Each structure stands twice: as C-alpha cells, then as structure tokens.
C-alpha cells in the first residue's frame, strides 16, 4: 500500500477547484450540427426498421453520439413502461464470437448470461422481444468474428423482432469487414460518416468547448493564435480528440493553480497523448 506521506507533494484542491475537476471528469455532450444530422438519420432508421453503418475516424465522436441517441430516445419513450428499452447499445470486444455477442446483449438488458450458446441465443432473442427493443447499436462492430455476423443477420431478419440494427466502427476497418460477406453488405446499405470539421467549424467548436464545457474562472483564448494552431494539428479536427485534450489540460492547469488553460500545460498534454 502506498504510504500517504509519499503524496505530500500534492496539494489538496480547494472545494471550488475540486468542483471544477469533478465536472470536467464527466464526458460532456453538446448538440453539434453534425450530431443532430446523425441523430435524425438514426431516428429514421428506427422508424423504418432498417439497418445502417455509422463510420468515421477514431475519436470522431461515434460512441458519444450513439450513447446520446440511446439516452434521448429511451427517455422519450420512458412513459410507456419500465420494461421497455427501445434502444440498446453494446460495445464489442476483440475477436467477438457468438457467445460474447449474446452475453453483451443480455447484460445490457440485465438478464442472466450463463448457459450454452444455444441457450444464450434463445434468451437474447426473447429478451429483445420482451423489452420491445427497436434498435440494437453494435459499437466496434469490426471486432465481430466473421461467423458471428450470421447472428447479427438473424436478429435483423427475425419477423417477430422487426428491429433496426446499427453497426458502428472506424471507416476503413468496418467497411473492410462488412464487404467480406455479400449477405451482410446487402443488408447494410445505409451509411452515415462523421467527418472532420471544416476550419471555421473547428474554431467555433473550440469556442463552444471553452465556454460551455471547460467553464474556467478566466478565459483561455484557445480559439486564437498558437493555441488554435497546435490544437488543429494535434486533434486532426476530430471532436473526441479535442475533448480529451482540452479536459485533461484544464484539470492539470487547475491542479497547478492556474485559472485558465495554461499554454505550456496544453503542449505538455498534447505531447504526452501521442495522438
């Protein structure tokens, strides 16, 4: 166990600073135009009971976009009964076979996840029907084993379920996996890509992040001069990368006694991130 005296060089944050840090430790969500367009597209998939592919570069905001849609849509339908879970989100581990796939679904629905693959498959399909699931979002879908895609197809093709299935992943990896199977590619023709932001959009995003997410005591002026330049280079203008860097730099700056994001701290965080 670490001796508490070894940590004497850390100063205890004031209650005000601690409140800032706790807020910054929670992943934010802002309704950006690109996200609104994606949510509209996802809503149309749910209504039409169709399938789709959500793709984009790593850290382009795919996961947070999916979780926000799940939360918003489920909240919208909340009054229709406690057992109803219209949108179910799962994240797939590497080399995911049928057993792991069905266990992920069952755990998302708070169901027992023991038994043979046949037991798990039957229980998962029954649970999706019982909870009136309308959309299954499969994040990191490129991690599914080739043979596991037959289970994904079966869920979409099941007449009793009539469920929309959304596969999510990085553009190159997911498309490469999907194209291996004609049965899969023919079922997942709809596609939405979360793109990098244009320069003016990126600058506006930084301004929004500083104002609505960081909310530090003093202005950091992140959207101008050298700060803007190094953020553009280090994040490749991707939402997820920007969020990670700015929140970490803000927390570190606060711990060092600054009331805004310090430029040297920002460079330090970027250098350590190895993005």
């Amino acid at each position: 166990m670490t001796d508490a005296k070894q940590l004497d060089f850390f100063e205890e944050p004031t209650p005000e600073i601690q409140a800032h840090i706790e807020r910054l430790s929670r992943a934010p969500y802002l309704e950006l135009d690109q996200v609104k367009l994606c949510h509209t597209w996802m809503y149309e998939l749910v209504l039409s009971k169709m399938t789709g592919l959500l793709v984009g570069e790593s850290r382009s905001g795919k996961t947070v976009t999916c979780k926000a849609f799940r939360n918003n849509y489920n909240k919208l339908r909340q009054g229709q009964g406690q057992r109803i879970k219209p949108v179910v989100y799962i994240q797939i581990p590497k080399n995911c076979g049928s057993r792991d796939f069905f266990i992920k679904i069952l755990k998302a629905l708070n169901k027992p996840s023991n038994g043979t693959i046949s037991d798990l498959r039957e229980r998962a399909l029954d649970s999706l029907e019982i909870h009136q699931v309308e959309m299954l979002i499969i994040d990191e879908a490129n991690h599914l084993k080739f043979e596991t895609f037959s289970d994904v197809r079966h869920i979409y093709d099941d007449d009793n379920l009539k469920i929309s299935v959304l596969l999510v992943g990085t553009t190159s990896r997911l498309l490469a996996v999907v194209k291996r199977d004609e049965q899969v590619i023919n079922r997942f023709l709809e596609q939405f890509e979360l793109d990098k932001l244009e320069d003016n959009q990126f600058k506006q995003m930084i301004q929004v992040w500083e104002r609505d997410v960081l909310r530090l005591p003093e202005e950091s002026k992140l959207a101008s001069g050298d700060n803007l330049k190094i953020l553009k280079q280090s994040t490749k203008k991707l939402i997820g990368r920007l969020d990670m860097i700015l929140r970490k730099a803000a927390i570190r700056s606060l711990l060092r006694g600054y009331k805004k994001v310090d430029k040297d701290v920002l460079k330090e965080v970027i250098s350590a991130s190895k993005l």
Side-chain angles (χ1 to χ4, degrees):
M1 184 178 293
T2 303
D3 188 340
K5 291 183 179 179
Q6 294 177 4
L7 302 179
D8 284 347
F9 59 88
F10 287 109
E11 288 188 18
E12 188 74 22
T14 65
E16 181 185 4
I17 296 300
Q18 186 61 42
H20 276 300
I21 292 173
E22 288 178 4
R23 176 177 55 75
L24 288 166
S25 299
R26 297 189 293 269
Y29 175 72
L30 299 176
E31 277 283 357
L32 305 169
D33 289 342
Q34 187 175 214
V35 174
K36 289 179 182 178
L37 287 173
C38 186
H39 281 183
T40 299
W41 175 75
M42 292 170 72
Y43 183 59
E44 290 171 353
L45 288 184
V46 173
L47 294 181
S48 59
K49 311 295 182 188
M50 295 181 69
T51 57
L53 301 175
L54 175 59
V55 296
E57 289 192 37
S58 177
R59 295 245 172 219
S60 59
K62 300 183 297 297
T63 295
V64 70
T65 296
C66 289
K67 288 182 176 180
F69 180 80
R70 175 200 60 188
N71 295 342
N72 292 343
Y73 190 77
N74 287 355
K75 187 176 180 180
L76 182 70
R77 298 285 307 277
Q78 204 168 34
Q80 300 187 12
Q82 291 293 325
R83 300 184 72 183
I84 294 178
K85 292 186 178 179
V87 176
V88 170
Y89 168 92
I90 60 174
Q91 193 168 60
I92 298 300
K94 288 185 177 180
N95 299 314
C96 181
S98 296
R99 170 178 289 277
D100 289 334
F101 175 60
F102 290 123
I103 285 175
K104 281 286 184 180
I105 293 174
L106 290 166
K107 285 186 175 180
L109 293 169
N110 297 316
K111 298 295 183 183
S113 54
N114 60 315
T116 64
I117 291 180
S118 180
D119 293 334
L120 295 170
R121 179 183 289 107
E122 184 177 354
R123 194 180 306 138
L125 294 174
D126 286 346
S127 299
L128 288 169
E129 186 174 2
I130 289 169
H131 289 284
Q132 299 179 39
V133 176
E134 299 173 43
M135 172 180 269
L136 175 63
I137 300 175
I138 306 172
D139 201 354
E140 302 285 4
N142 48 285
H143 289 161
L144 289 167
K145 287 184 177 179
F146 180 76
E147 58 270 20
T148 312
F149 274 99
S150 63
D151 295 309
V152 177
R153 295 200 311 268
H154 183 70
I155 288 175
Y156 174 62
D157 291 339
D158 193 308
D159 290 333
N160 292 325
L161 294 178
K162 295 180 180 178
I163 188 172
S164 171
V165 177
L166 179 64
L167 303 183
V168 184
T170 53
T171 307
S172 57
R173 291 176 182 174
L174 182 56
L175 293 181
V177 170
V178 169
K179 287 177 181 177
R180 290 186 308 178
D181 190 335
E182 185 180 348
Q183 297 277 355
V184 176
I185 194 63
N186 288 337
R187 284 170 171 79
F188 290 86
L189 299 174
E190 285 273 343
Q191 181 178 317
F192 190 101
E193 184 166 9
L194 287 174
D195 300 318
K196 293 181 183 179
L197 300 168
E198 298 295 332
D199 283 352
N200 62 326
Q201 293 175 316
F202 183 70
K203 182 175 181 177
Q204 290 173 357
M205 169 114 73
I206 294 174
Q207 292 170 333
V208 169
W209 232 257
E210 182 171 347
R211 184 191 68 219
D212 297 341
V213 177
L214 303 186
R215 290 164 25 209
L216 299 183
E218 294 181 6
E219 186 180 0
S220 303
K221 296 182 180 179
L222 297 168
S224 61
D226 288 342
N227 285 335
L228 176 61
K229 184 178 179 180
I230 61 176
L231 283 171
K232 189 183 296 185
Q233 291 173 342
S234 61
T235 65
K236 298 182 180 179
K237 295 186 287 187
L238 294 169
I239 298 172
R241 294 187 180 198
L242 177 70
D243 171 56
M244 183 185 72
I245 287 173
L246 290 188
R247 285 195 291 138
K248 193 168 184 177
I251 290 172
R252 189 173 295 184
S253 294
L254 288 169
L255 287 172
R256 293 185 184 178
Y258 300 113
K259 293 186 177 182
K260 62 181 180 180
V261 174
D262 178 74
K263 185 183 294 185
D264 290 335
V265 171
L266 180 62
K267 291 179 179 178
E268 211 176 87
V269 169
I270 290 170
S271 177
S273 298
K274 296 179 182 180
L275 294 172

